[in-house]
Amino acid sequence: MALRAATPCAAGWPQEAITDEDVQRSIDGGRADMVLSHDIQAELPLTDPHEDVAALGSFVFQRMHDNQLRLQRIVESVRPVLQVHGHCTCVRPPLCA
C-alpha cells in the first residue's frame, strides 16, 4: 500500500483509507509473514482508553469500520504469523494487566 501523509479533518483521515485496489494487491501477493498496519481489522476490539469512537460521528465511524473490514479481508487471506498495528487492543486480558 502506498504511504500517504495523514491529515486529520472533519471527514476523518481519508489518506489512511485502504482501497479495494490495496486489498487486491495485498491478496495477490500471497501469504505474508507479517502485516504492519495503522488500523486494526474489524474482528479485534478497539480498547484504547484514549480513543473516543463515539465522538467521531457516524460518517467517520462508518469509514473507519469499512477500512477495518478491508483490512480483515487482507488478514484472512494472507494469514500472517505476526500482525503489528498502531491501536491498543487487548486480545488476551492477562497480557494487558
Side-chain angles (χ1 to χ4, degrees), residues 25-49:
R25 194 170 37 254
S26 298
I27 292 171
D28 288 348
R31 276 237 39 231
D33 294 326
M34 182 178 87
V35 169
L36 176 63
S37 63
H38 173 84
D39 214 341
I40 59 171
Q41 68 262 33
E43 72 178 358
L44 296 178
L46 181 60
T47 59
D48 186 340

Side-chain angles (χ1 to χ4, degrees), residues 90 92-97:
C90 187
R92 293 183 215 115
L95 296 176
C96 296

Side-chain angles (χ1 to χ4, degrees), residues 3-97:
L3 295 177
R4 299 177 277 271
T7 304
C9 63
W13 293 264
Q15 305 91 332
E16 292 183 8
I18 299 171
T19 66
D20 288 331
E21 292 79 17
D22 291 332
V23 172
Q24 194 58 53
R25 194 170 37 254
S26 298
I27 292 171
D28 288 348
R31 276 237 39 231
D33 294 326
M34 182 178 87
V35 169
L36 176 63
S37 63
H38 173 84
D39 214 341
I40 59 171
Q41 68 262 33
E43 72 178 358
L44 296 178
L46 181 60
T47 59
D48 186 340
H50 305 291
E51 292 280 345
D52 185 4
V53 176
L56 295 175
S58 61
F59 175 74
V60 174
F61 179 80
Q62 185 59 53
R63 287 182 65 165
M64 180 181 78
H65 185 67
D66 291 346
N67 207 50
Q68 291 172 336
L69 290 172
R70 285 186 178 100
L71 183 57
Q72 182 77 34
R73 287 179 29 217
I74 293 169
V75 170
E76 288 175 352
S77 296
V78 303
R79 301 175 44 229
V81 174
L82 176 65
Q83 181 179 3
V84 180
H85 54 79
H87 286 282
C88 177
T89 60
C90 187
V91 178
R92 293 183 215 115
L95 296 176
C96 296

